[in-house]
Amino acid sequence: KAGVTQTPRYLIKTRGQQVTLSCSPISGHRSVSWYQQTPGQGLQFLFEYFSETQRNKGNFPGRFSGRQFSNSRSEMNVSTLELGDSALYLCASSGGDRAYTEAFFGQGTRLTVV
Amino acid sequence: GIQVEQSPPDLILQEGANSTLRCNFSDSVNNLQWFHQNPWGQLINLFYIPSGTKQNGRLSATTVATERYSLLYISSSQTTDSGVYFCAPVMMNRDDKIIFGKGTRLHILP
């Protein structure tokens, strides 16, 4: 059974550009969550999607957005990139209809904004 | 205030030593996981343990939900155990979001 797949693994963007990251969950999992990890702030929750609906959202500006497709794959988009958006972005999938079930993480996308 | 607190923040041990990592949380939990973040950034699942005790080889974990803490035990440490260990509870009344602690950075010396 394949794990959670995130693409791309590494990305370098220029300030002001936008970026789209992709996450394919474990087959059969319907919940996908996104997290941002920085040295200063640690791991912070961005948002969660379940069956194509955003079910939960963290405290990030509107430049951060996401969506989920009917096959449960999810994308997150960051517009008008800032230097502070440089981070490791992690995606997690879980199989239950609530967040009580075990979450499995992908390898992450490391974004560098220059 | 702090919702998830992990201690110690850093730990340096000699290979073969045992260690105990602690996680305190501020509310009742629906779920709690322990992860090991490898040098490449991936979070590796160690335990899904909202309550009780589980063991997996040299690692074991205990969550005492009524007292709002969880412990991760690592016995006979190996250099490959180095990395950051995260406690991640899903606390009731927190909109089902996983809240991560700041982690314990473990360095095992050969």
Side-chain angles (χ1 to χ4, degrees), chain B residues 2-106:
Chain B
I2 296 174
Q3 296 177 324
V4 182
E5 190 169 318
Q6 290 188 245
S7 60
D10 298 279
L11 192 55
I12 301 174
L13 297 171
Q14 207 69 40
E15 197 169 27
N18 301 329
S19 58
T20 300
L21 281 55
R22 186 177 180 101
C23 172
N24 292 331
F25 41 91
S26 56
D27 268 323
S28 301
V29 296
N30 289 317
N31 173 9
L32 187 143
Q33 291 185 247
W34 282 96
F35 296 94
H36 175 210
Q37 189 165 39
N38 66 21
W40 298 272
Q42 185 168 13
L43 290 169
I44 307 298
N45 290 44
L46 296 177
F47 293 101
Y48 168 70
I49 185 166
S51 64
T53 297
K54 289 187 178 180
Q55 179 151 11
N56 185 3
R58 296 182 295 104
L59 274 61
S60 64
T62 295
T63 297
V64 184
T66 53
E67 297 186 24
R68 300 183 182 171
Y69 73 88
S70 184
L71 302 173
L72 177 68
Y73 307 95
I74 304 174
S75 64
S76 305
S77 299
Q78 300 175 358
T79 55
T80 51
D81 294 331
S82 296
V84 184
Y85 289 80
F86 288 100
C87 165
V90 176
M91 290 189 282
M92 295 179 186
N93 305 319
R94 289 294 186 273
D95 300 324
D96 291 350
K97 292 182 285 192
I98 295 176
I99 300 175
F100 281 88
K102 292 192 180 298
T104 291
R105 185 173 297 275
L106 178 64

